[in-house]
Amino acid sequence: MTTRLRPSQTLLLGSLVFGLFFGAGNLVFPVLMGREAGSASPAAATGFLLTAVGLPILGVVASAMAGADSLQSLLRPVSGRLSLWFTCALYLTIGPLFAIPRTATVSYEVGIRPLVGEGHTPLFLFSVAFFALTALAARRPGRLMDWVGRYLTPVFLVLLSALVIASFVAPMTTTPAAPSGPYASAPLARGLVDGYSTMDALASLAFAVVLVDATRRLGVQGPRRLAVELGKAGLVGGLGMAVVYATLAHVGATSVGAVAVADNGGVVLAGVSLHYFGVAGQYLIAAIVLTACLKTAIGLTVACATTFVELTAGRRGAAHATETSDQTGASDATGGADASRTTVAGGLPTAYRWWAWGFVGVSFAIANLGLAAIVAISVPVLMFLYPVAIVVIALALAWPWVSQRLVLARVVIAFTAAAAFFDLLGALPASLAATPVVTTLTETASAVLPGYDVGFGWVVPALVGTVVGLALSARGSRTRQAEASSARVAAPA
């Protein structure tokens, strides 16, 4: 068993990191940002990279540094109920109830519908094929590094490079438009908010379970070494994301010469692809979006099924039991790891597959019903979970210190959750947000919480919670010391 990854293994793991995080939303967000930022896109892209790349990579490294192979195990010392509730809420929201069905719907709307026209039947047939591929790949979680890191990510990058290279070789315009909206006055700050709004920090906590498992499969053991190797792979994957984000922002900034009107990044990409490659460009953008969505759908399905196997099995260490049926022939593919591979299926392949198939089935149903309603329900939940997730990441980065002051973690999370509740209210559907009670609460939050209107209303309460938590922790420490001293004095000589 090796304890240090070879460069080729680090590259493969970095490819997995990139592939899991870079979905369809990540493809279209920077394009629209570049289009609206125009000549200010370099500054906006810098802010975007700090939060859209930095937070997810920190989330993965934080889980490894805390010695946790799942979100539940990370939070269990803080609170058993919190660990169960937050784990279920996060995985269900970014899994079968929102993100997984969205991967199918987005790939269909952007890539397939322009080729086949309107109608429910094409969506149904496409989603059957899409989720059949997802289920087939997710059926063998030990091959995730191969499916995503070795195959789909390189294919995606090759396809996308055709579009990006064309935009540099033959720019659609040599003079980007003037920045509009908030990009005109504060492009860097707006870029920070845009990157924050991708909510990939949530995905980092969800994907940590499969990334830590994939790293252990390569022979890496121990929290410190896991953190180092995942940090190296995260830098590789993060660098890849940064390069792609920056080039997509350039595509968006120069797209005004080919796409006159567009209200989202998907329309811009489709128009740019048609501009450069004609009819063939429609097939190119379909392939780009499909590979981007498929690899994310596979990763989320594996992560969700793995987590719920562990939750229902009720035992720690389930993520590393020996897999006997799925891993034959995979040793060479991951750089020579031992043939008796471990699996995130937790030694319960039947339970894992039932969960995976169940999540795929729910995602299929929601995708065919349409995502408008589920988005209206899911986005408020995401707005509530996201600030808590960022605080959890910060606590995990300092876990050796925080683990001795758990009251601090409890207070900070409580203060953050209380403030994030107002973010949930602000993201409710218009019919609910307009009710007098909700309006009063959100207006009060806007007046009292600095940064609330741009999604950062939780920051000051989190800082206040830190101060309160430190004070309570110090008080508890002094009380314990006094009790120990009294016990020593009272003890007979």
Side-chain angles (χ1 to χ4, degrees):
M1 300 281 283
T2 179
T3 58
R4 295 178 183 271
L5 297 184
R6 298 191 302 271
S8 60
Q9 293 174 314
T10 300
L11 181 62
L12 182 59
L13 191 59
S15 178
L16 176 63
V17 171
F18 177 95
L20 291 175
F21 282 108
F22 206 95
N26 307 80
L27 187 64
V28 299
F29 287 155
V31 173
L32 185 61
M33 178 194 69
R35 183 179 177 89
E36 294 182 349
S39 58
S41 60
T46 300
F48 186 89
L49 296 179
L50 289 174
T51 47
V53 177
L55 285 176
I57 301 307
L58 283 178
V60 173
V61 174
S63 295
M65 290 182 65
D69 55 8
S70 68
L71 179 59
Q72 188 193 23
S73 66
L74 175 63
L75 287 175
R76 187 182 288 112
V78 178
S79 168
R81 291 183 179 179
L82 171 66
S83 68
L84 179 61
W85 172 83
F86 189 72
T87 299
C88 290
L90 186 146
Y91 277 95
L92 290 175
T93 305
I94 70 167
L97 298 185
F98 178 58
I100 298 177
R102 188 183 68 170
T103 58
T105 303
V106 169
S107 55
Y108 174 79
E109 291 292 334
V110 176
I112 306 301
R113 187 174 61 82
L115 298 174
V116 300
E118 301 290 344
H120 182 71
T121 300
L123 172 60
F124 177 83
L125 295 176
F126 170 79
S127 58
V128 167
F130 182 91
F131 285 114
L133 288 173
T134 300
L136 179 64
R139 181 175 174 269
R140 296 191 174 188
R143 300 297 302 273
L144 183 66
M145 196 177 312
D146 290 334
W147 282 109
V148 176
R150 191 178 293 276
Y151 305 130
L152 288 174
T153 296
V155 169
F156 166 75
L157 290 175
V158 169
L159 292 171
L160 183 63
S161 65
L163 196 63
V164 171
I165 291 172
S167 71
F168 280 95
V169 173
M172 291 166 279
T173 180
T174 56
T175 306
S180 60
Y183 296 102
S185 56
L188 179 65
R190 182 60 190 182
L192 284 168
V193 174
D194 286 343
Y196 170 88
S197 299
T198 64
M199 297 193 176
D200 274 349
L202 286 173
S204 71
L205 294 176
F207 286 139
V209 63
V210 291
L211 289 171
V212 169
D213 180 80
T215 308
R216 283 182 171 142
R217 258 173 224 292
L218 297 174
V220 179
Q221 299 296 330
R224 190 178 301 274
R225 178 47 51 184
L226 277 169
V228 170
E229 298 300 341
L230 273 174
K232 288 159 56 179
L235 287 176
V236 172
L239 179 61
M241 287 192 287
V243 170
V244 174
Y245 279 142
T247 55
L248 286 173
H250 168 79
V251 171
T254 58
S255 66
V256 292
V259 184
V261 179
D263 58 0
N264 63 72
V267 173
V268 175
L269 281 176
V272 170
S273 188
L274 182 65
H275 169 78
Y276 283 118
F277 303 104
V279 176
Q282 294 180 314
Y283 293 93
L284 175 63
I285 195 64
I288 290 172
V289 176
L290 178 60
T291 52
C293 290
L294 184 61
K295 56 189 176 57
T296 300
I298 295 169
L300 284 172
T301 302
V302 170
C304 290
T306 297
T307 297
F308 276 84
V309 166
E310 293 184 353
L311 289 175
T312 55
R315 56 191 177 93
R316 296 292 296 116
H320 309 294
T322 300
E323 179 181 18
T324 59
S325 60
D326 286 347
Q327 301 309 315
T328 56
S331 178
D332 292 339
T334 53
D338 191 276
S340 61
R341 309 295 296 277
T342 58
T343 177
V344 291
L348 298 170
T350 301
Y352 169 83
R353 287 167 184 164
W354 276 115
W355 279 113
W357 291 338
F359 288 142
V360 167
V362 171
S363 301
F364 170 81
I366 292 176
N368 277 274
L369 290 174
L371 282 181
I374 198 65
V375 166
I377 297 173
S378 297
V379 169
V381 178
L382 287 170
M383 292 299 293
F384 174 77
L385 294 176
Y386 198 48
V388 180
I390 293 175
V391 167
V392 168
I393 290 172
L395 293 170
L397 286 171
W399 189 249
W401 181 77
V402 172
S403 62
Q404 305 300 315
R405 300 164 178 81
L406 292 178
V407 65
L408 166 64
R410 296 183 185 114
V411 172
V412 172
I413 291 174
F415 273 60
T416 304
F421 175 72
F422 294 97
D423 289 324
L424 181 153
L425 294 178
L428 287 172
S431 58
L432 294 176
T435 59
V437 173
V438 175
T439 300
T440 300
L441 290 173
T442 53
E443 288 178 351
T444 301
S446 179
V448 172
L449 298 176
Y452 173 79
D453 293 330
V454 292
F456 291 103
W458 58 272
V459 173
V460 170
L463 294 175
V464 173
T466 301
V467 174
V468 174
L470 286 172
L472 292 175
S473 179
R475 179 182 177 184
S477 178
R478 288 194 298 269
T479 300
R480 288 190 297 271
Q481 290 174 359
E483 291 174 348
S485 178
S486 298
R488 286 194 298 270
V489 170

